[in-house]
Amino acid sequence: MNQPSVEITEPAAGSPRVADGFRPAPRRDFVAGLILALVTLMAHGQALWEGPFLFLDDHLHVSRLRSPDWSVKHLLDATTITPAEFMDAWWQEQPIRWRYARPVSMLLAKVVYQLSGGSVKALHGLSLALHLIGAVLVYRLCLKLTHRPGWSLIGGVLFVIHSHSVYSVGWLAAQNSVLQTVLTLAALLGYVRASGLEVYAGRKRETGLDGPAPPSAVRHRLYYAEPDRPVPALSLPWFVLTLLCWLAALFSRENALVFPVFAAAFDLVFGGWRHARRRVGGFLVMAVIAAAFAFWRLKVYYEPMPAFYVRSYDGPDYPWWWLAKLLHWITGVIWLSPLMIGPSARFNPFREVPGDCLLMIAIVAVMSAGYYLACRKARGWWLWPAWVFLALLPVVPVFAGPQSAYMPAAGWAVAMVLGPALRHEIRPRGIGRWCPGVALYFLVSTSVYMPLYQMFWQAVRSAEHLTVAQMAADPPAPSAGEVFLINVPFVNVYAGLHLAEELSATSGKTRGLRCHVLTYAPNVLRMEEDCRLEQLDAYSFRLSIAGRGYFSGALGRFLIEAMRPSGRLRAGDTCHREWFDVHVTRANAEGVQELLFRFHEPLASPKFCFYLGTNQQPAVRVHFWGSDESLTDVAARPARDAVSLAEVHAADQRLESGQLE
């Protein structure tokens, strides 16, 4: 019986031969784009109708977006954070600063903000649009790798609903992560085009022109390479476009520095050694750019990050901490577990929480084994674990934050659909055969997680807004310029800027308020412990706390390690500030239990305004008695009506909706 001949389609110059070539389908891609847009709107669209929500660094960034300065220096410095400029801390002995270099991200945000007339919703819309573009690029990348539109669409959807995208897309300060990832994906796809690569990940066999491909190759779209076919020259226009996207990504967020590794890996995997050797010139160009940027960022435009926020080598425990931190990051990306403090707050997690570390090792081991058994025969199967690893590598020493999982999520989404899409060709083994079910499980379970993560994100933002809403409901007197905060949650570190925004929205007038934190609540979101505030005379008061002390836990480590080189506060320590002196009356290794504040002017001075956070109210206005009042006069003074938590929440809702009364 004669074997039927099969025509091998003629590929573009320089591309490997392909049986039954996969052709573009604009209508299919348009429908996929519409589906991704709908999923993006359903998953993240609440930012467009829930109100002008700003959170933490957003308050500082928006104040700089209002500036008429468009200089390069202004855009470079727009993301620099110096806490002393907006919150005075009496225990601080050295200045701290976060100095970032993200002018492209700030330029795009500033253009949108200015053109929209100062609309915060427009900035949220920009984040959604960028996230959608990223999802489309992930879909296109999956389509090139697998030629399976259905699974490629699932890859795009998995990227859209990755749990940690809730924070990256919903938090304007994390918009740089979204933009950098989109630009890096665009650079990668541009480089594929520039290098003339056919990046189909199915099995590849070499053959000559005189031998027809077997029918199974046609059915499964197996690729055929011609060993002696000349490698095409690098397309200069596409290469320039690739470099422009990469440079824009670098100046949006620094971890785009790893892009040349992906470009070289794609040449090696999908083109072979001959192809990679022909690209040495392009690699040298990218290496020079990467080296120049690294030198500029680490030597010229550089300032050390605060201690604890970025942990440097500090002894033999550091490598174990670093490994636990990397394990924590990877587990958070591939298992969608919360990326909160975790190992950041510990010295050696393997000793302190061995059970947690063993659980993370088990999760990563099972997921890695399943992926390997499912995709081991796919071309470049190792690229996507490498994407996750390299995208996380620059931020391992940095304090854990969910926005750093955004770029790795793109590699995770591709890895999840690679095995299922190509399973008929690469024939998974063992638990790898479950890969379609695993991908669909994550699709369903992540859809369930999304509302839960949204609720948590909403709770974190509400914790900040409730405190300021109560302050705005009982605002400082017009004569008060110094605001003193007692037991304020750390989430309100921008309380001064935030309060000024709210007062400006209600009165139409801008007020200059200088905020001083007297104590941070041990919990970053709210005050949980009982506390006692006792006025001793017209100038001083004593503050004590039950349970966890001040400057305890992970927050305490940051407040001390980053701001106080002399170490923790001890009983008997005294600090002198412009407006007051502080004496530590009770403290131990766990924290501070009691403080004595003595002001240089009467506590009842019209210059001053005090707010106290309790486990019942987020920010109660405190009125101290003056030197000309007796205790009898104070007792007879009419009491102010207390503001209930429900009233504070209602005021917060009115402010969000734009009501000024």
Side-chain angles (χ1 to χ4, degrees):
M1 183 175 180
N2 294 330
Q3 183 178 10
S5 62
V6 178
E7 179 182 358
I8 301 178
T9 58
E10 190 66 29
S15 299
R17 284 184 173 270
V18 54
D20 190 22
F22 188 78
R23 294 178 175 82
R27 181 179 297 179
R28 174 204 63 210
D29 294 343
F30 178 74
V31 172
L34 287 180
I35 294 173
L36 290 173
L38 179 62
V39 173
T40 301
L41 199 60
M42 293 173 62
H44 304 281
Q46 67 180 35
L48 296 178
W49 54 75
E50 68 181 358
F53 244 132
L54 300 177
F55 178 70
L56 279 180
D57 301 345
D58 297 346
H59 301 288
L60 182 64
H61 292 168
V62 168
S63 69
R64 291 168 177 173
L65 294 179
R66 297 191 190 105
S67 170
D69 190 352
W70 291 81
S71 66
V72 173
K73 183 180 184 305
H74 170 76
L75 294 173
L76 273 172
D77 295 339
T79 48
T80 297
I81 302 171
T82 307
E85 294 178 353
F86 49 83
M87 184 69 81
D88 174 64
W90 56 265
W91 63 90
Q92 184 171 353
E93 296 177 342
Q94 66 179 10
I96 61 172
R97 179 181 296 181
W98 284 261
R99 195 178 198 189
Y100 301 108
R102 293 161 184 179
V104 171
S105 175
M106 289 304 295
L107 175 62
L108 180 60
K110 188 160 187 167
V111 169
V112 171
Y113 186 79
Q114 296 283 354
L115 290 179
S116 65
S119 171
V120 175
K121 285 189 176 184
L123 294 175
H124 283 294
L126 174 61
S127 291
L128 259 69
L130 290 172
H131 190 47
L132 173 59
I133 294 171
V136 171
L137 293 176
V138 169
Y139 161 77
R140 290 295 304 168
L141 185 57
C142 291
L143 197 60
K144 285 180 174 292
L145 290 165
T146 68
H147 291 183
R148 298 286 196 250
W151 282 108
S152 299
L153 180 59
I154 290 175
V157 171
L158 285 171
F159 178 72
V160 169
I161 64 175
H162 191 271
S163 297
H164 303 303
S165 67
V166 169
Y167 309 96
S168 303
V169 179
W171 187 18
L172 294 179
Q175 194 175 88
N176 54 74
S177 297
V178 182
L179 178 60
Q180 176 262 315
T181 301
V182 168
L183 289 169
T184 302
L185 288 168
L188 183 60
L189 288 170
Y191 185 77
V192 167
R193 185 72 178 267
S195 193
L197 292 171
E198 174 54 66
V199 296
Y200 181 69
R203 295 171 62 187
K204 177 181 177 182
R205 298 176 182 172
E206 293 184 352
T207 183
L209 291 178
D210 55 346
S216 61
V218 178
R219 185 167 62 254
H220 300 311
R221 300 184 177 90
L222 300 186
Y223 277 75
Y224 285 76
E226 297 174 22
D228 299 326
R229 190 177 182 85
V231 177
L234 193 66
S235 171
L236 186 59
W238 280 101
F239 186 61
V240 170
L241 182 61
T242 297
L243 294 180
L244 291 175
C245 288
W246 177 43
L247 283 169
L250 276 174
F251 286 99
S252 296
R253 191 175 177 89
E254 294 85 344
N255 57 345
L257 194 65
V258 299
F259 167 75
V261 178
F262 298 136
F266 264 64
D267 272 323
L268 183 62
V269 168
F270 297 108
W273 283 106
R274 285 197 315 122
H275 197 104
R277 284 196 296 269
R278 283 292 304 273
R279 299 291 177 256
V280 170
F283 298 156
L284 287 175
V285 171
M286 289 188 285
V288 169
I289 293 174
F293 178 84
F295 176 82
W296 173 80
R297 187 65 185 92
L298 296 176
K299 295 295 183 182
V300 180
Y301 195 80
Y302 174 76
E303 189 164 338
M305 293 287 184
F308 184 76
Y309 184 81
V310 176
R311 182 176 174 181
S312 303
Y313 181 81
D314 53 7
D317 280 345
Y318 182 81
W320 294 104
W321 175 87
W322 191 94
L323 287 173
K325 187 72 182 300
L326 177 62
L327 189 63
H328 178 228
W329 279 115
I330 293 175
T331 305
V333 171
I334 67 175
W335 192 246
L336 311 180
S337 56
L339 274 174
M340 297 304 162
I341 295 175
S344 293
R346 300 187 176 97
F347 291 99
N348 190 327
F350 284 102
R351 281 203 306 261
E352 298 174 40
V353 283
D356 292 351
C357 294
L358 289 175
L359 177 60
M360 291 190 294
I361 290 173
I363 291 172
V364 173
V366 171
M367 293 286 288
S368 300
Y371 175 75
Y372 173 75
L373 292 173
C375 302
R376 73 197 189 287
K377 292 184 179 179
R379 297 169 65 200
W381 65 268
W382 53 269
L383 286 171
W384 311 112
W387 177 290
V388 173
F389 173 76
L390 290 175
L392 291 173
L393 192 61
V395 297
V396 171
V398 181
F399 193 83
Q403 68 275 13
S404 293
Y406 188 81
M407 182 180 174
W412 172 83
V414 175
M416 289 300 296
V417 301
L418 189 64
L422 298 173
R423 63 190 184 281
H424 296 301
E425 301 172 29
I426 60 179
R427 301 184 184 281
R429 297 179 59 186
I431 60 174
R433 292 195 293 266
W434 302 348
C435 60
V438 171
L440 294 176
Y441 163 78
F442 274 99
L443 181 67
V444 174
S445 61
T446 309
S447 301
V448 175
Y449 294 162
M450 281 294 292
L452 301 178
Y453 276 77
Q454 290 284 9
M455 288 173 60
F456 182 78
W457 174 229
Q458 183 73 21
V460 172
R461 295 189 302 178
S462 295
E464 181 195 36
H465 277 251
L466 285 174
T467 301
V468 175
Q470 185 161 19
M471 295 168 66
D474 191 2
S479 59
E482 309 296 328
V483 178
F484 300 94
L485 306 176
I486 306 170
N487 299 341
V488 64
F490 189 76
V491 73
N492 291 110
V493 68
Y494 290 97
L497 296 176
H498 194 175
L499 180 60
E501 291 169 4
E502 302 295 4
L503 295 179
S504 175
T506 54
S507 66
K509 298 179 181 179
T510 303
R511 291 193 57 182
L513 297 172
R514 186 182 177 198
C515 278
H516 310 260
V517 57
L518 301 186
T519 54
Y520 280 115
N523 186 311
V524 296
L525 298 182
R526 61 185 294 267
M527 183 64 181
E528 295 178 325
E529 288 74 12
D530 292 331
C531 69
R532 179 181 176 83
L533 177 64
E534 179 185 4
Q535 184 174 0
L536 303 177
D537 54 42
Y539 291 86
S540 59
F541 64 84
R542 180 186 294 117
L543 179 67
S544 59
I545 186 173
R548 289 179 59 189
Y550 299 117
F551 304 97
S552 61
L555 175 61
R557 280 190 57 194
F558 166 72
L559 297 176
I560 297 299
E561 292 179 21
M563 306 171 79
R564 187 178 170 85
S566 61
R568 66 180 179 87
L569 291 161
R570 294 172 172 82
D573 287 349
T574 300
C575 296
H576 303 282
R577 303 296 290 182
E578 177 185 0
W579 294 104
F580 55 87
D581 299 331
V582 187
H583 184 70
V584 182
T585 54
R586 281 195 295 121
N588 56 30
E590 301 298 323
V592 175
Q593 287 74 43
E594 188 174 272
L595 296 163
L596 177 64
F597 292 88
R598 182 166 184 82
F599 279 70
H600 305 152
E601 295 187 22
L603 297 172
S605 169
K607 298 178 183 178
F608 298 159
C609 179
F610 294 84
Y611 290 98
L612 170 68
T614 72
N615 50 19
Q616 301 295 322
Q617 299 280 350
V620 179
R621 177 84 176 272
V622 179
H623 295 271
F624 292 102
W625 52 271
S627 57
D628 57 344
E629 294 180 287
S630 66
L631 291 177
T632 304
D633 295 332
V634 174
R637 191 166 56 191
R640 297 175 59 92
D641 293 333
V643 181
S644 70
L645 193 60
E647 291 174 313
V648 173
H649 187 73
D652 188 35
Q653 295 294 329
R654 290 196 299 272
L655 288 171
E656 291 176 27
S657 62
Q659 299 180 34
L660 303 183
E661 296 183 0

